[in-house]
Amino acid sequence: MKTTIQFITSVICSISIISCKSQSVDLVAEGAELIQISNEYSFTEGPASDKNGNVFFTDQPNDKIIKWNESDNSLSIFKEPAGRANGLYFDQNENLLAAADNENELWRINANGKVDTLITNFEGKKLNGPNDLWVDLHGGIYFTDPYYQRPYWDRTAAELEEKNVYYISPDLKNITIAATDFVQPNGIIGTPDGKTLYVADIGDQKTYSYSIQNNGTLTNRTLFTDMGSDGMTIDNKGNIYLTGEGVTVFNSKGHKIQHIPINEEWTANVTFGGKNQDILFITAMGSVYTLKMNVHGVRYTE
């Protein structure tokens, strides 16, 4: 989340449907419409799909994790309170990982809502505020750690000088700095082959790609595009989806190929869900949206 509540404006009180027929690139299914599932939240973030296509997302100001059931389009509370969770991602064992911003921790939540705290600090200093995360093929966890002052914190300054990307080893025993030199690292996503990691520096309006080594280290930092992002996802064609002013799609070479407008002041995050992983699930301000796509996500499909 770029900031906490400054983006929150008046909630649109009616269900809206926005046509996407005019899109020039065939990423969006023919005749598909952007559907607002709900607008009853304060600031939605962190969507993550489970293997059944259900999407979990956060309403951070209200300290909730909500589940969208793809089979009947229903919404229900999965966990409350939720550690002021921001970014979410499922590990290989179907535990929900959460960037728990309230105490600057990383949580692992099982299907019953039981929490294991994976990390609370780095080298004895409190993390800035874990924001977004991605799990590699070995079970290692990359997460971004920007600093956004929260009204529910007692502290007023960061203990760590740098805003880094960190890596937690697959055995969860070691945490190391994976990437540095950011203003505010935020969105993060990796390719399904485990070879490339994308990190958005929303504070510097840039997104970088990195080569992932077998031991989890990152090399070959390369500018992907001169655009930052709050959240990110990837499709089966290798296209990267960035958020902010709607959803902007870039191909794997960093060329902009499509923009999906969202009638909200800010679009925070995006993922693929649904049983066929072909539903683009979008969190934007107090709302959540879905859009049927021709492409699909890569986490649970071949």
Side-chain angles (χ1 to χ4, degrees):
M1 188 164 71
K2 189 177 181 182
T3 60
T4 308
I5 305 178
Q6 71 184 69
F7 288 110
I8 299 174
T9 57
S10 59
V11 174
I12 301 172
C13 297
S14 61
I15 299 297
S16 65
I17 299 177
I18 303 167
S19 175
C20 290
K21 294 180 180 179
S22 62
Q23 299 292 348
S24 58
V25 180
D26 62 356
L27 298 179
V28 178
E30 183 177 359
E33 296 177 324
L34 182 69
I35 301 175
Q36 186 185 63
I37 300 301
S38 176
N39 60 8
E40 64 185 37
Y41 306 108
S42 293
F43 196 103
T44 57
E45 249 286 10
S49 175
D50 67 15
K51 64 181 180 180
N52 297 314
N54 306 304
V55 176
F56 293 68
F57 63 95
T58 65
D59 182 7
Q60 192 185 46
N62 291 321
D63 203 11
K64 299 176 182 179
I65 297 176
I66 301 103
K67 176 184 178 181
W68 171 69
N69 191 316
E70 75 89 25
S71 63
D72 61 5
N73 206 35
S74 64
L75 295 165
S76 59
I77 295 175
F78 170 68
K79 189 167 185 60
E80 180 187 15
R84 301 279 187 178
N86 193 43
L88 304 173
Y89 203 84
F90 279 92
D91 67 15
Q92 281 91 335
N93 297 313
E94 283 300 293
N95 297 303
L96 185 62
L97 303 178
D101 192 73
N102 192 54
E103 297 292 337
N104 315 110
E105 299 170 333
L106 202 65
W107 284 7
R108 180 176 60 194
I109 310 170
N110 70 14
N112 297 317
K114 179 180 179 296
V115 172
D116 289 321
T117 301
L118 301 183
I119 186 169
T120 60
N121 66 82
F122 178 70
E123 296 181 346
K125 295 182 179 180
K126 185 182 289 292
L127 292 164
N128 292 327
N131 189 278
D132 211 348
L133 61 160
W134 179 74
V135 179
D136 69 15
L137 300 182
H138 308 291
I141 305 167
Y142 294 92
F143 69 91
T144 56
D145 189 43
Y147 186 88
Y148 300 121
Q149 184 64 48
R150 307 302 194 189
Y152 43 82
W153 287 349
D154 292 331
R155 62 172 174 156
T156 57
E159 294 183 14
L160 293 166
E161 292 183 7
E162 295 183 334
K163 303 171 181 68
N164 299 319
V165 173
Y166 294 90
Y167 181 68
I168 303 176
S169 60
D171 61 8
L172 306 179
K173 293 181 179 180
N174 298 302
I175 175 174
T176 55
I177 297 173
T180 61
D181 194 22
F182 300 104
V183 178
Q184 291 281 30
N186 205 308
I188 189 169
I189 196 70
T191 55
D193 61 7
K195 294 181 178 180
T196 305
L197 184 71
Y198 295 91
V199 179
D201 186 352
I202 197 169
D204 199 28
Q205 289 302 297
K206 289 178 172 57
T207 296
Y208 298 95
S209 66
Y210 295 84
S211 298
I212 303 174
Q213 305 306 305
N214 290 335
N215 63 358
T217 59
L218 301 177
T219 62
N220 192 30
R221 171 177 164 131
T222 304
L223 180 65
F224 177 69
T225 185
D226 283 311
M227 177 179 171
S229 186
D230 202 342
M232 304 170 70
T233 195
I234 187 173
D235 68 24
N236 63 303
K237 302 295 185 182
N239 301 312
I240 306 298
Y241 295 63
L242 305 186
T243 62
E245 185 181 343
V247 179
T248 305
V249 188
F250 295 82
N251 65 19
S252 59
K253 297 184 182 299
H255 300 144
K256 178 180 174 181
I257 59 173
Q258 189 160 4
H259 179 257
I260 301 171
I262 310 294
N263 189 27
E264 302 282 357
E265 185 179 346
W266 186 253
T267 300
N269 217 323
V270 63
T271 197
F272 282 91
K275 64 179 181 180
N276 297 318
Q277 288 290 297
D278 60 352
I279 302 297
L280 195 64
F281 191 97
I282 304 161
T283 61
M285 300 300 295
S287 300
V288 289
Y289 296 84
T290 58
L291 179 62
K292 183 68 178 294
M293 305 292 287
N294 280 328
V295 291
H296 57 75
V298 297
R299 188 78 196 278
Y300 306 107
T301 55
E302 305 222 352

